[in-house]
Amino acid sequence: MNRPGFFPVWQRNFLVWKKLALPSILGNLADPLIYMLGLGYGLGAMLPEIGGQPYIAFLAAGTICASTMNAATFEALYSSFSRMHVQKTWDAILNTPLGLTDVVAGELFWAATKSFFSGCAILVVVTVMGLTNGPLALFILPAIVLTGLAFAALGLIWNALAPSYDFFMYYFTLFITPMTLISGVFFPTDQLPGWLALIGAWLPLAQGVALVRPLLAGEVPTDIALHVGVLLATTAIAFAIALRLTRRRLLK
C-alpha cells in the first residue's frame, strides 16, 4: 500500500507524542476549561441569554475553536521549531528519500491532528455538561479538522521566519490574541464597531466559530460553503507560503 510522502513524518511525531499522550491532553484541557467554567458560570450568571441560549453554551463553541487554534499553533511553532532548529530532526529526515515538502506537510498534518485531539476533548466535556443538542454536533468534528489545518499552516509561516523561540510571543500578541477577541469567541461580534466586526468576520477563527456554534445548538450553519472555503483557502495559501519560506531559510 502506497502511503503519501508526509506520512512517515506524521507517524514519527505521533509515536513520540504517544509516550506522553495523557499529560499532553490534560494540559490542553486545563486552560480552556478554566476559561469556560469560570466565565461561563461566573460571568454567565450575570448575563442574559445570548441568541436564546445561556452564556456558557455560547462560550462553549468559542472554547472548542479557540482550543483547536491554540493547540495547532503551539505545535506548529514551538514543537516544529524544535525539530527543525534545535533537535535537527528535519536534517535527519532530509537525508532520507523524503523531501522538504514531505517534512512540512507532515508537520502540518501532525499539528492539525494534535489540535483535533484538543478540540475533541473539549467537545466531550461540553457534551457531558449537556451543552450539545442533537446529532448535528457530530459535524463539529470536520469543522475542528478544518480549523486546525488553517492554524497549523499559518503557524508554519511564522516558524519559518522566527530566529528563536522569543519571536513566537509576537505572533501570539499581535495576531492570535487580537483575533480571539474579535472572532466571536467570548461575545457576539455585533457588539464591536462595524469596521472591526467586518475584519473579524473574515478571520479563520471566526469561520470555525460560525460552523461550530450553530451545530452545537442543533442547527445547520448558514453559508457553510463560504466558511469551509475560507478555511481551505487559508490552509492552501498559508502552506504554500510556509513551504517557500522554509525552503529559503534552510537553503541559506
Side-chain angles (χ1 to χ4, degrees):
M1 178 180 178
N2 292 326
R3 292 174 173 175
F6 68 81
F7 181 79
V9 180
W10 181 94
Q11 186 179 39
R12 180 263 170 202
N13 293 341
F14 172 75
L15 291 174
V16 172
W17 170 82
K18 191 168 68 170
K19 298 177 181 178
L20 296 171
L22 184 59
S24 175
I25 293 174
L26 292 177
N28 287 334
L29 271 172
D31 194 51
L33 279 180
I34 290 172
Y35 273 101
M36 189 176 74
L37 297 176
L39 293 177
Y41 286 118
L43 183 62
M46 304 168 60
L47 297 174
E49 290 188 344
I50 299 177
Q53 59 182 344
Y55 179 68
I56 191 169
F58 176 90
L59 182 62
T63 302
I64 291 171
C65 295
S67 178
T68 302
M69 172 188 71
N70 287 327
T73 302
F74 271 96
E75 185 65 25
L77 293 182
Y78 290 96
S79 298
S80 293
F81 186 83
S82 295
R83 291 188 283 266
M84 176 184 70
H85 186 66
V86 180
Q87 300 170 356
K88 303 296 183 182
T89 303
W90 288 20
D91 289 349
I93 295 174
L94 291 173
N95 283 315
T96 71
L98 298 180
L100 185 60
T101 301
D102 299 318
V103 175
V104 178
E107 294 290 342
L108 170 76
F109 287 110
W110 171 242
T113 300
K114 278 201 70 175
S115 70
F116 179 73
F117 294 157
S118 180
C120 285
I122 299 296
L123 179 58
V124 168
V125 173
V126 166
T127 303
V128 170
M129 294 173 64
L131 299 176
T132 56
N133 292 278
L136 281 178
L138 291 174
F139 289 97
I140 293 175
L141 298 178
I144 291 173
V145 172
L146 292 173
T147 304
L149 283 169
F151 282 101
L154 290 168
L156 287 171
I157 293 177
W158 196 253
N159 176 64
L161 294 171
S164 69
Y165 292 110
D166 295 336
F167 280 75
F168 295 149
M169 290 308 301
Y170 294 114
Y171 185 74
F172 282 96
T173 302
L174 300 176
F175 181 60
I176 295 296
T177 299
M179 179 169 49
T180 303
L181 295 176
I182 64 173
S183 294
V185 172
F186 298 112
F187 51 84
T189 54
D190 57 15
Q191 305 295 314
L192 298 170
W195 62 272
L196 190 56
L198 182 62
I199 293 173
W202 285 100
L203 294 173
L205 180 57
Q207 309 304 316
V209 172
L211 290 171
V212 171
R213 183 161 286 138
L215 291 170
L216 204 60
E219 302 171 358
V220 177
T222 58
D223 300 321
I224 295 177
L226 174 63
H227 302 313
V228 171
V230 171
L231 289 171
L232 288 175
T234 300
T235 301
I237 295 170
F239 177 76
I241 295 172
L243 181 59
R244 183 179 182 86
L245 292 174
T246 304
R247 194 180 304 279
R248 181 184 299 174
R249 173 174 184 158
L250 297 181
L251 293 178
K252 281 185 178 179

